[in-house]
């Protein structure tokens, strides 16, 4: 049975992020902070819709939750296809 969320599932609230940051999360199909933490700063910066300020905003939001972006250089490189 599939669950269709009327509101965001627990632990995925992106409240407080700018509209651009939330839209980019949607574009990348990122639905949780854990998924975001699997991306590297380098990989995020290679996405045209994400600029330095937005990546910094996402990094700060992760830091507030005790998480950080991966340091793996090739993380999520496959998105570029």
């Amino acid at each position: 049975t599939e669950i269709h969320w009327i509101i965001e599932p627990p632990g995925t609230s992106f409240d407080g992020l700018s509209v651009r940051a939330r839209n980019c999360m949607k574009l990348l199909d990122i639905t949780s902070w854990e998924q975001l933490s699997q991306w590297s700063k380098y990989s995020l910066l290679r996405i045209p819709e994400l600029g330095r300020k937005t990546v910094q905003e996402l990094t700060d939001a992760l830091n507030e939750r005790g998480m950080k972006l991966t340091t793996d250089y090739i993380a999520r490189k496959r998105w570029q296809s």
Side-chain angles (χ1 to χ4, degrees):
T1 305
E2 248 183 77
I3 297 174
H4 296 282
W5 295 94
I6 296 172
I7 57 172
E8 293 177 334
T12 60
S13 175
F14 297 122
D15 290 342
L17 292 180
S18 66
V19 172
R20 177 180 295 277
R22 287 195 312 266
N23 286 342
C24 288
M25 301 284 271
K26 202 177 291 187
L27 169 74
L28 297 172
D29 198 28
I30 295 174
T31 58
S32 71
W33 294 108
E34 289 78 17
Q35 285 180 328
L36 177 60
S37 70
Q38 295 172 10
W39 286 73
S40 70
K41 187 174 184 177
Y42 172 80
S43 295
L44 289 173
L45 286 171
R46 298 207 28 129
I47 298 166
E49 290 79 10
L50 280 171
R52 287 178 303 161
K53 287 183 180 181
T54 306
V55 170
Q56 187 60 52
E57 177 184 356
L58 295 173
T59 301
D60 292 343
L62 278 174
N63 290 341
E64 289 172 9
R65 288 158 179 79
M67 305 170 83
K68 60 183 178 179
L69 295 171
T70 185
T71 56
D72 184 359
Y73 179 74
I74 59 170
R76 297 293 177 179
K77 195 170 186 175
R78 66 176 182 238
W79 187 85
Q80 299 169 10
S81 59

